Amino acid sequence: MTDLRIGVVGIPGKWSTEALADAVEERTGFRLVIDMGHVTLDLQRGEMLYDNIDLCKLDGLIIKKISEIYKPDVLDRMEILRYAQAKGVQVFSDPEAIIRLIDRLACTVTLAATGVPIPPTVITEDPEVALETATEFGTAVFKPLFSTKARGMALIEGDSFRAINQIASFASDNPVMYIQKKLDLSGKDLGLIFLDGEYLGTYARVAQGKTWNTTIDSGGKYEPFEPDAELIEMARKAQEPFGLTFTTVDVALTPQGPIVFEVSAFGGYGGAKYACGIDAPGLVADHVIAKIRG
């Protein structure tokens, strides 16, 4: 037991947030789950208040989740946490690293620049180019720049008479259109788990029924998976530029070879537990405490 005061930024009541807070409390005797929607930053006083606690006086903060739904204003929440970091609070993962992952395009640009294989991807604000791209791809997945668990994504067949209207509808909410070719994933994709860059294990998300995506929210289920060394190294290369405390790299096995969809800003505790038997909350808590104690 230590005397450290470490807060957990997350969604009160959600399993992963509460499990992480439990793990921190078991090791420190201190428990604080922080809902960023109720945090007030007073720059004149140099205070960041939540439930009458100045977060700038904590020893550390662990960011498990920044919002239930991703949207541009979550970047502002990250900036608030960046202030705590500037005041000397150790924050895990680094807010600047998370900012580069919340925006899907920022993550993809980094992966592409690093040479990590990704799906054929086009970004455009031009509806005509979007239609040409969807037609070239045959079937395209239009993805919002800010979303999780496939929310807001649209599957558009380029040669469909509905495609023009579908693209117009998508563009009305997403003027910058992020378009990827729909690949044959054989109903499965993978999450490769890393703690401070160290590989821990892999789970598979397996689609159920006829859904085109494998997310748990769409009925997918977790299964264990044993990747080869080459796949692990590809995922390691993908997550390395971001320097995250805990993450999962989303990988798919296609007929053309493995590709990386994204690097998770927060990592998947559920897949780690239910498919791999990995106690992610405990491992993260131990790692953070060791880092703070130096």
Side-chain angles (χ1 to χ4, degrees):
M1 187 78 69
T2 75
D3 59 355
L4 296 176
R5 300 204 310 159
I6 302 170
V8 174
V9 176
I11 311 298
K14 288 292 185 179
W15 171 77
S16 59
T17 297
E18 299 294 344
L20 181 54
D22 287 344
V24 171
E25 184 180 19
E26 287 171 5
R27 291 156 174 79
T28 67
F30 180 82
R31 180 190 181 89
L32 180 65
V33 173
I34 302 159
D35 179 351
M36 286 300 296
H38 296 282
V39 172
T40 299
L41 174 60
D42 188 327
L43 293 173
Q44 182 174 351
R45 292 187 172 88
E47 295 177 338
M48 184 187 301
L49 296 177
Y50 177 77
D51 199 21
N52 293 319
I53 297 173
D54 185 358
L55 303 184
C56 291
K57 294 182 178 178
L58 298 182
D59 297 295
L61 290 166
I62 308 175
I63 308 172
K64 178 58 196 83
K65 199 74 171 175
I66 196 65
S67 175
E68 187 72 54
I69 299 174
Y70 284 11
K71 47 189 177 179
D73 60 9
V74 301
L75 298 178
D76 299 319
R77 292 183 173 186
M78 295 308 308
E79 292 296 339
I80 291 173
L81 290 168
R82 201 163 66 84
Y83 180 80
Q85 185 181 50
K87 294 283 284 186
V89 181
Q90 295 195 53
V91 183
F92 305 87
S93 295
D94 187 324
E96 290 191 8
I98 294 176
I99 286 170
R100 294 167 61 206
L101 288 166
I102 290 176
D103 182 333
R104 177 172 277 112
L105 180 54
C107 176
T108 302
V109 166
T110 299
L111 293 176
T114 309
V116 173
I118 61 174
T121 304
V122 171
I123 292 86
T124 184
E125 296 183 45
D126 189 329
E128 291 187 7
V129 174
L131 180 59
E132 291 170 2
T133 300
T135 301
E136 177 188 345
F137 287 172
T139 303
V141 185
F142 283 62
K143 300 182 177 182
L145 296 184
F146 298 88
S147 74
T148 59
K149 305 183 186 302
R151 294 186 182 101
M153 295 184 184
L155 201 62
I156 298 177
E157 296 180 6
D159 58 357
S160 166
F161 69 91
R162 300 173 55 230
I164 294 176
N165 289 335
Q166 287 178 303
I167 290 171
S169 176
F170 182 84
S172 66
D173 293 323
N174 306 276
V176 178
M177 289 176 280
Y178 178 108
I179 310 165
Q180 286 188 329
K181 183 175 182 179
K182 183 179 181 296
L183 301 175
D184 178 10
L185 309 183
S186 301
K188 175 189 296 185
D189 67 358
L190 311 175
L192 281 79
I193 309 162
F194 292 86
L195 175 67
D196 197 31
E198 179 183 350
Y199 172 72
L200 299 181
T202 298
Y203 59 82
R205 284 180 298 256
V206 183
Q208 303 298 296
K210 296 181 179 180
T211 58
W212 65 272
N213 69 73
T214 62
T215 65
I216 303 304
D217 281 6
S218 297
K221 66 175 184 178
Y222 293 122
E223 292 182 355
F225 186 89
E226 289 294 334
D228 58 27
E230 186 176 353
L231 200 64
I232 294 171
E233 188 55 36
M234 184 184 76
R236 189 190 313 279
K237 181 180 178 181
Q239 59 84 42
E240 190 173 26
F242 301 102
L244 298 161
T245 299
F246 183 84
T247 187
T248 49
V249 181
D250 290 347
V251 173
L253 305 177
T254 78
Q256 294 75 36
I259 53 94
V260 173
F261 278 122
E262 64 182 14
V263 177
S264 170
F266 310 107
Y269 284 18
K273 176 181 178 179
Y274 297 115
C276 307
I278 294 173
D279 176 22
L283 291 174
V284 169
D286 287 337
H287 172 79
V288 166
I289 290 169
K291 284 286 187 179
I292 293 174
R293 294 176 68 180

